[in-house]
Amino acid sequence: AQKITQTQPGMFVQEKEAVTLDCTYDTSDQSYGLFWYKQPSSGEMIFLIYQGSYDEQNATEGRYSLNFQKARKSANLVISASQLGDSAMYFCAMREGQAAGNKLTFGGGTRVLVKP
Amino acid sequence: DAGVTQSPTHLIKTRGQQVTLRCSPKSGHDTVSWYQQALGQGPQFIFQYYEEEERQRGNFPDRFSGHQFPNYSSELNVNALLLGDSALYLCASSFGSTFNTEAFFGQGTRLTVV
C-alpha cells in the first residue's frame, strides 16, 4: 500500500484565493511526522510546514496551514492568498517511528499553477 | 550560513559509465540522505549516512553506493549507469534523524544517461 497518497496531480488556483492540497498517509506507528515541501522548477525542495503525530493543534507557518485529521489519516495543506510565486510542485512526506535513521517517504506530488 | 550544496548541478554520462555526486550538508548537520527523483514523480530514498556509516538503505541495487567523510560531506556513486538512472538526485541533511527531524535539501544534481 502507498504510504503517502496525493490524489490531485494538478490544480489551477486564482491569485489571492486559497487552495487546499490533499494528502493521506498510512502508518501503524504512533510516532510520526508529516512534512510539506515545495519544489519550484529549479529543483530544490523547500520545507514549508511540519505536523507531529502528537501535536494537538494544527500547524501554521505564515500563509501555510496544515489541516491535520489524525483519525482519517489526512494532512492537507492550505495555502491562503495565493501568489504567482506559489506555482510549483508540492510534496507531502512522512517520517515514521522513534528509531533513528527514519527516511522521508514522499507522495507523488501536486502541481499548482497560480493564475493572475 | 550556507545551506546544503550539491555538485555538479548537471551531468551527462554514457550508459555503462560511473558517476560520483557530491553533497556538503548544512552547517551543524551530521546526517546526510540521498534521494532519486525521476521526472514527474516524488523522491525515492536511496540511503542515509551517519557517523560515516550507512544507517538505512532503500530499495536500490548495489550499483548505488555512498560514502560520508569526517566533515559530514557525502558522495553518491553509481556504477554501470543505465538509461533509467536518469533523474534528479537530491541530497538532504539534518541533525540526527527521528520522526520529527526536519530535512534541508540541496538544489539537486540532474543526471542524464545517454
Side-chain angles (χ1 to χ4, degrees):
Chain A
Q2 293 277 3
K3 288 277 190 180
I4 298 286
T5 302
Q6 296 181 251
T7 58
Q8 306 150 309
M11 298 184 71
F12 287 100
V13 58
Q14 202 67 39
E15 192 179 9
K16 300 180 184 178
E17 291 187 348
V19 61
T20 298
L21 308 183
D22 295 341
C23 172
T24 57
Y25 60 92
D26 182 28
T27 181
S28 57
D29 283 319
Q30 296 300 309
S31 303
Y32 54 90
L34 297 158
F35 301 79
W36 277 92
Y37 286 88
K38 171 184 178 182
Q39 188 178 42
S41 57
S42 60
E44 182 180 359
M45 291 286 228
I46 301 167
F47 167 75
L48 296 177
I49 194 166
Y50 163 80
Q51 181 84 42
S53 59
Y54 299 112
D55 296 339
E56 295 187 352
Q57 293 197 339
N58 288 339
T60 61
E61 289 285 349
R63 295 188 297 113
Y64 304 106
S65 60
L66 202 151
N67 183 3
F68 182 46
Q69 299 188 42
K70 194 170 182 177
R72 297 181 59 187
K73 292 188 175 179
S74 75
N76 298 339
L77 176 71
V78 179
I79 306 174
S80 62
S82 295
Q83 302 171 356
L84 296 179
D86 294 334
S87 295
M89 285 291 291
Y90 289 81
F91 290 95
C92 180
M94 176 173 65
R95 286 195 199 270
E96 300 171 87
Q98 292 276 18
N102 297 307
K103 64 181 180 181
L104 277 168
T105 301
F106 286 85
T110 296
R111 181 173 298 280
V112 172
L113 184 59
V114 180
K115 300 184 293 182
Chain B
D1 177 25
V4 180
T5 58
Q6 293 185 243
S7 62
T9 54
H10 294 83
L11 202 53
I12 300 175
K13 288 287 190 178
T14 303
R15 189 172 48 182
Q17 284 187 317
Q18 179 263 345
V19 68
T20 297
L21 310 182
R22 294 176 176 82
C23 172
S24 292
K26 182 178 170 64
S27 177
H29 286 182
D30 57 6
T31 302
V32 173
S33 301
W34 287 92
Y35 294 82
Q36 180 196 66
Q37 187 178 18
L39 195 62
Q41 297 182 20
Q44 298 291 317
F45 175 75
I46 303 174
F47 43 54
Q48 182 184 89
Y49 278 85
Y50 173 73
E51 292 189 341
E52 301 180 52
E53 290 191 0
E54 183 183 289
R55 184 161 63 178
Q56 193 179 20
R57 188 179 183 92
N59 189 25
F60 279 80
D62 292 344
R63 297 187 297 110
F64 289 77
S65 64
H67 189 76
Q68 185 179 35
F69 299 93
N71 66 353
Y72 306 117
S73 67
S74 177
E75 289 182 349
L76 163 65
N77 301 294
V78 187
N79 293 323
L81 284 167
L82 304 174
L83 297 180
D85 295 331
S86 295
L88 179 68
Y89 289 84
L90 293 163
C91 171
S93 76
S94 59
F95 180 69
S97 181
T98 58
F99 76 93
N100 58 352
T101 302
E102 178 186 338
F104 291 80
F105 284 81
Q107 81 282 8
T109 294
R110 201 169 294 276
L111 173 65
T112 303
V113 182
V114 297

